[in-house]
Amino acid sequence: MSLSRMRLQVPRPRTFLYLMSLRTGTELIALSLLLNKISGIYGLLALLTGVSLSPLQLSMYIYSVLALILTAYLSRHIRKQSPLQNLALAWFYIIDSIINALYTAAFAMTWFLVISQHQAGRTGDIISGPGNAGKTIDDTAGFTSPEHNVTHVDVVATPAKGLTTGQDAVAIGTPSSSMAAMGTKTPSLGHGVLQPESMTSLIVICSLWALRMYFVFVVMAYARSVLRRHISTSYDTGLAMPRKPESSSSTSSRPNPFASTTREGQGWPGRLGRVMIAVGRGYWLGGGADEDESWAVGLTGKFRKDEEDARGGLMERERRRRSGTGPPLPSNLQVPRWQTGVS
C-alpha cells in the first residue's frame, strides 16, 4: 500500500470504543440521535405557549422532527442488517452532521455577538446575527441591562455647606475590565470569542464534534461491513450477482449489490442504492487481497462453520451406512430379502 493511499484512507474502526461491536455501537449512536431530535417536538410545542422563534430556530425544529421520523425508520434495520437501509443510515448521519455543524456555527456566532455587545454595555440595539436569532437569544439568556456597567462603586462623602449639618455623597463607579478594554470599539465576533467563558464553550464544542466525527466513522464502517457480508453471502447462496472481478490488485472493487441484475437493484430502491454506492465506491466496495479481511471472520465465520459441520455430518452418516454401524432401522420397516441375505 502506497504512502499516499494510507494518508487518504478513511478510518475504518473494527469495534466501538474498543469495548463493543460495530452493531452495538451503531445502535447506541442511533439512540443518541433519536434523543437529540426529540427536542424538535418540544420546540414546536413552545409555539403554542406564545414563545416567539426566529426563522433559524423554527427551521431547525422542523428539520429535527423530519429527522426523527427518518431515524426511527432506519434504526430498525440495524439489527436486521439490511444493506440499503444501513447504507442510507450512514449517509443520513453524514448529512445530519454537516447540517448540525452549520446550525451550531450560526448559533455560536450569534451568541458571541450578543456577549460582545453586553460586555461593551451597548444593549439598546441587539445585533440580530444569522437568521435574526440575536433578539431571541438576548430575551431568553437572562442578561440584565444596567444603566452603568461597573465592577464596584466608591462613595465619597464631603461636609455639606451651610448651616444645615450633613454631608454630600458622590458615587464613583469603576468600569469593568471588559468595558475598559472595549473602549469605544464596536462589538465584534472576535471580542466575544476572547471572553473567558467563551473559550470554555469553544473547547466543549470542539470536543463534542471530535466525538461526533468518530461516530460518523463507526456508522460508516458498520454499513460497509453489512454491504460486504451481503455480497459474500449472495455468492455463497448462488443469488444472481455480477461476476467477481478477476483483478487481484489492491484497488479492485467488489460487485455492486444494487446492480440492475440483482434482486436489490430493482425499482427506485435499487436506483437509490446505486447512487449512494457511486459516491465513495472505493470505500464501500473497494479492497483487494492485501486488505485486512478480518470483518469476514466475524460476520460470515458462523455460516462457514455451519456449512462445514453440515458437510462433515453428511460424510459421517455415509461412512456409517456403508460399514453397517448406522442407527437401527425402524421396527415397522420391511427389509427386502436380498438385503438380509436370506434366500
Side-chain angles (χ1 to χ4, degrees), residues 151-168:
T151 55
H152 65 276
V153 178
D154 295 323
V155 179
V156 179
T158 58
K161 296 181 180 181
L163 298 177
T164 307
T165 59
Q167 291 179 331
D168 292 332

Side-chain angles (χ1 to χ4, degrees), residues 80-305:
K80 297 179 182 179
Q81 299 186 358
S82 307
L84 177 64
Q85 285 78 6
N86 281 275
L87 181 61
L89 178 62
W91 272 113
F92 170 70
Y93 197 73
I94 296 173
I95 296 173
D96 179 73
S97 300
I98 297 174
I99 294 176
N100 273 345
L102 296 177
Y103 275 118
T104 302
F107 283 117
M109 185 183 303
T110 307
W111 171 254
F112 292 142
L113 287 174
V114 172
I115 286 181
S116 176
Q117 190 160 1
H118 275 274
Q119 292 292 339
R122 305 180 184 181
T123 58
D125 186 15
I126 296 298
I127 300 175
S128 61
N132 196 26
K135 185 63 168 61
T136 306
I137 292 178
D138 183 70
D139 292 340
T140 58
F143 287 114
T144 58
S145 299
E147 184 177 353
H148 302 285
N149 190 2
V150 295
T151 55
H152 65 276
V153 178
D154 295 323
V155 179
V156 179
T158 58
K161 296 181 180 181
L163 298 177
T164 307
T165 59
Q167 291 179 331
D168 292 332
V170 178
I172 302 176
T174 302
S176 63
S177 58
S178 59
M179 283 286 295
M182 197 69 184
T184 58
K185 295 182 180 179
T186 304
S188 62
L189 179 62
H191 177 262
V193 171
L194 294 178
Q195 298 301 317
E197 61 273 13
S198 300
M199 296 302 296
T200 304
S201 302
L202 284 177
I203 293 175
V204 173
I205 291 175
C206 292
S207 301
L208 292 177
W209 272 106
L211 184 62
R212 177 73 180 241
M213 288 300 300
Y214 174 72
F215 287 173
V216 169
F217 294 140
V218 169
V219 176
M220 291 175 61
Y222 179 70
R224 181 175 182 265
S225 65
V226 169
L227 287 173
R228 295 158 78 88
R229 174 188 176 181
H230 175 74
I231 295 172
S232 178
T233 54
S234 297
Y235 276 117
D236 293 342
T237 55
L239 296 179
M241 289 287 290
R243 186 174 61 88
K244 282 186 178 181
E246 298 294 336
S247 173
S248 60
S249 64
S250 61
T251 57
S252 62
S253 62
R254 287 161 177 76
N256 191 343
F258 303 106
S260 57
T261 57
T262 63
R263 181 181 59 185
E264 288 79 7
Q266 305 303 317
W268 69 266
R271 290 192 295 270
L272 178 61
R274 288 192 291 272
V275 170
M276 292 188 295
I277 285 290
V279 182
R281 182 187 181 91
Y283 174 82
W284 304 116
L285 303 178
D290 61 341
E291 184 182 358
D292 182 17
E293 297 294 345
S294 59
W295 64 272
V297 177
L299 290 175
T300 61
K302 178 180 182 299
F303 299 97
R304 292 177 181 175
K305 184 176 184 302

